[in-house]
Amino acid sequence: MSDLSDVIPRPRRTTSGAGGFFELGPATEVVAGDGTERTARWLRAEVGAATGLPLAPGTGPGDAVTLSLDGALGPEGYRLDVEPTGVRLAGGDPAGLFWGAQTLRQLLGPDAFRRAPLPGRRWRLPAIRIEDAPRFGWRGLMLDVARHFMPKEGVLRYLDLMAAHKLNVLHFHLTDDQGWRIEIKRHPRLTEVGSWRSRTKFGHRASPLWEDKPHGGHYTQDDIREIVAYAAERHITVVPEIDVPGHSQAAIAAYPELGNTDVVDTGALSVWDTWGVSPNVLAPTDHTLRFYEGVFEEVLELFPSEFIHIGGDECPKEQWRRSATAQARIEELALADEDELQSWFIQHFDTWLAERGRRLIGWDEILEGGLAKGAAVSSWRGYAGGIAAARAGHDVVMCPEQQVYLDHRQHGEDEPVPIGFVRTLEDVYRFEPVPAELTSHEAEHVIGTQANVWTEVMENQQRVDYQTFPRLAAFAEVSWSTLPAPGERDFDAFERRMAAHYRRLDALGVAYRPPGGPLPWQRRPGVLGRPIDGPPPNK
């Protein structure tokens, strides 16, 4: 049984009961009301496995966990009542009920996060009432599987870790210069060629070190269907990202005609083996548009998400400046320059997606040149892009690089492959997604926030764990809980709750960064990073 104050993210309202506890035992039933079957199934599968209890379907009311829906609790809200005679969990909708089940699991103690029961454990819930609901509707984690491929089992594991932290959007970064990770049946070379590179830079792009073996992999369409279904069971939406028109060298290596063939021998290109921003970008031709429409047609069949992410960031224009084909397209469309050409490219897919009932979302560069009304922006270059987007009436997901890029180092010294600014657990806990410059009306366009995990220097699951945790727990609280202003947040109290949460992460097998610094096997001595000194800009 956990302490009442151990729950992460912090609930909105907690009231201690009159004393005592409810103990789950072999006779405890799960009474599932209409619309609660998904959470009942999850309780039996996960909590049932950890406790060894059947949690059989029943009719109650005694010795039971009773599940119901109550629309008055609002979207994703829940109410958990624990009394010595039984447990009642109500959700404002099925998602809220599921988040309440996550809280119930935390209250059972860290061993409730194991896959099989330990001998002699008793499963007690403290008498309590919790009323809770999230601050934001988009509570995201961006996982980059293009730079270093994460096998399907690892993605499913991260969906479970997200669910345990009440995060509800997986932004799935599937394509980049260094790899194409999703099967497209009409364009098989995207994975036959584009999903493998011959070697990989080890460390920052300035590092002299290489891993001289092929790296790659991809998800079949059935893998994607499984991932999306697994996420849906956990009330997580998977938003795919297919990068255009930059970050596209892997696609050009597979289909050279997609590149600027009049200025570079695209047939000689391979999937990129280093990091940074490749100069090889898509040609602004009708063929390229038709090709990617075909890609997106298959993507839409696989992902039912409202939003489709098209990247749109870091597109070097040098090849377009030298390309007669690109210059002719600029003249034909009466565009001012190459920047407007990129806007034309983005707006084409903005319209194309809108015609199919979907909404485009992209990195904040897509603001340059104007967007359709329904498009949304991922604000990564600080807050400025998000502020501009919100003021222009566009929805925004705040994910500023300087604050919530989890590839950035966690301490000033002795971090493995140190990248970027120091972002400690406390720094992430004091991150505020809504800029003070926005009016209350403008702030309504900040639909949520997201932590981004770029994997250039994360070569395996253990490295991803190290960079992501424990900071993702702090981010989860920022995105879920209604907290005071950053300077007024009680980080000491959060750290005390983390003492219990570390034991949950241990039970889940998460290779997090310990509070005292990296363990010997977590270090990467001699591997060059790119640390940036001083505090990050907050703008």
Side-chain angles (χ1 to χ4, degrees):
M1 184 168 71
S2 281
D3 185 275
L4 302 186
S5 62
D6 283 346
V7 175
I8 290 177
R10 191 182 77 182
R12 184 168 292 185
R13 186 178 300 108
T14 301
T15 308
S16 297
F21 55 83
F22 174 78
E23 183 164 344
L24 277 68
T28 302
E29 298 175 337
V30 173
V31 180
D34 291 344
T36 70
E37 296 82 7
R38 189 180 296 182
T39 293
R41 184 163 58 240
W42 180 87
L43 281 169
R44 293 190 188 97
E46 300 295 332
V47 177
T51 61
L53 301 174
L55 302 178
T59 57
D63 197 8
V65 177
T66 301
L67 308 179
S68 64
L69 297 180
D70 178 357
L73 295 171
E76 296 192 272
Y78 68 89
R79 182 180 60 245
L80 174 63
D81 285 296
V82 180
E83 298 172 346
T85 54
V87 177
R88 299 188 309 278
L89 176 58
D93 54 17
L97 186 76
F98 182 71
W99 305 132
Q102 299 297 328
T103 297
L104 185 153
R105 186 191 197 187
Q106 288 197 19
L107 291 173
L108 285 170
D111 288 335
F113 290 78
R114 297 188 181 276
R115 294 189 179 183
L118 300 182
R121 294 296 188 271
R122 301 180 74 176
W123 302 102
R124 292 176 168 179
L125 290 166
I128 194 173
R129 166 173 273 205
I130 294 177
E131 298 167 279
D132 201 7
R135 180 184 180 191
F136 292 110
W138 182 305
R139 306 180 302 281
L141 174 70
M142 192 229 63
L143 187 60
D144 168 22
V145 296
R147 273 51 177 272
H148 277 101
F149 179 65
M150 180 178 284
K152 179 190 70 178
E153 291 75 13
V155 177
L156 299 179
R157 172 178 177 266
Y158 259 82
L159 288 166
D160 279 328
L161 291 172
M162 290 176 64
H165 292 83
K166 300 185 175 76
L167 299 173
N168 68 344
V169 178
L170 174 65
H171 173 172
F172 208 16
H173 185 79
L174 289 164
T175 74
D176 217 296
D177 298 309
Q178 296 85 3
W180 184 286
R181 305 295 178 213
I182 177 173
E183 176 189 24
I184 301 297
K185 291 186 181 295
R186 73 189 73 185
H187 303 307
R189 286 175 59 84
L190 286 172
T191 47
E192 291 170 1
V193 174
S195 70
W196 292 92
R197 57 179 182 262
S198 61
R199 63 175 187 167
T200 299
K201 175 68 72 172
F202 195 37
H204 182 254
R205 61 180 176 270
S207 167
L209 304 176
W210 294 89
E211 186 179 44
D212 283 306
K213 65 179 183 182
H215 174 85
H218 74 274
Y219 310 104
T220 67
Q221 293 201 354
D222 281 345
D223 291 337
I224 294 291
R225 291 184 182 98
E226 180 183 358
I227 288 167
V228 170
Y230 194 86
E233 277 286 302
R234 287 146 184 81
H235 298 276
I236 296 170
T237 300
V238 184
V239 174
E241 180 178 349
I242 306 294
D243 246 316
V244 296
H247 287 293
S248 298
Q249 184 165 325
I252 296 169
Y255 291 93
E257 67 273 18
L258 295 174
N260 295 283
T261 56
D262 56 349
V263 296
V264 65
D265 180 7
T266 55
L269 294 177
S270 59
V271 177
W272 217 26
D273 56 15
T274 190
W275 316 125
V277 180
S278 169
N280 295 295
V281 302
L282 297 175
T285 63
D286 289 343
H287 173 77
T288 300
L289 297 180
R290 300 294 88 75
F291 183 98
Y292 272 86
E293 287 171 1
V295 168
F296 281 115
E297 282 175 4
E298 295 191 26
V299 166
L300 297 191
E301 291 174 2
L302 296 168
F303 295 93
S305 55
E306 176 186 9
F307 288 99
I308 302 294
H309 207 292
I310 53 78
D313 62 318
E314 296 180 325
C315 179
K317 309 297 193 302
E318 181 56 33
Q319 289 184 0
W320 287 353
R321 293 187 186 99
R322 295 162 46 209
S323 165
T325 300
Q327 292 303 311
R329 178 55 57 110
I330 289 173
E331 183 176 353
E332 170 199 342
L333 298 170
L335 303 176
D337 54 21
E338 292 77 18
D339 290 337
E340 287 197 4
L341 183 61
Q342 179 175 347
S343 295
W344 164 81
F345 202 108
I346 298 299
Q347 288 169 7
H348 174 86
F349 287 102
D350 191 358
T351 302
W352 190 91
L353 288 167
E355 288 172 347
R356 287 153 182 82
R358 306 296 186 97
R359 294 177 66 186
L360 179 145
I361 185 169
W363 304 110
D364 53 56
E365 287 95 326
I366 69 171
L367 280 168
E368 299 157 7
L371 284 174
K373 185 177 180 180
V377 170
S378 302
S379 185
W380 76 275
R381 295 180 298 177
Y383 289 98
I387 291 170
R391 286 176 173 166
H394 294 289
D395 287 343
V396 178
V397 176
M398 279 292 183
C399 48
E401 164 184 32
Q402 303 88 343
Q403 313 298 327
V404 287
Y405 269 33
L406 300 186
D407 51 318
H408 282 213
R409 57 192 174 132
Q410 302 181 65
H411 195 270
E413 299 177 6
D414 206 25
E415 285 299 291
V417 201
I419 299 295
F421 295 102
V422 173
R423 292 287 84 194
T424 66
L425 183 67
E426 181 172 0
D427 291 329
V428 174
Y429 190 67
R430 298 192 189 281
F431 164 61
E432 173 49 50
V434 179
E437 297 95 318
L438 295 180
T439 67
S440 58
H441 176 70
E442 292 166 346
E444 292 175 0
H445 283 291
V446 180
I447 59 174
T449 183
Q450 181 173 286
N452 293 344
V453 179
W454 300 103
T455 61
E456 287 93 335
V457 299
M458 302 179 211
E459 71 276 10
N460 55 35
Q461 178 176 286
Q462 289 73 30
R463 281 286 292 130
V464 174
D465 278 6
Y466 179 92
Q467 290 297 133
T468 304
F469 289 97
R471 292 182 294 180
L472 193 67
F475 174 80
E477 184 145 313
V478 168
S479 65
W480 176 277
S481 306
T482 302
L483 299 176
E488 300 169 10
R489 293 176 188 171
D490 191 346
F491 178 70
D492 290 341
F494 177 76
E495 269 198 313
R496 289 192 291 273
R497 284 184 287 132
M498 280 301 300
H501 202 67
Y502 285 122
R503 297 198 297 276
R504 296 178 193 127
L505 296 178
D506 287 334
L508 289 165
V510 177
Y512 59 84
R513 182 192 190 275
L519 299 169
W521 63 268
Q522 292 175 319
R523 303 179 191 276
R524 296 290 185 273
V527 181
L528 187 67
R530 186 181 64 94
I532 304 174
D533 293 329
N538 192 31
K539 60 182 181 179

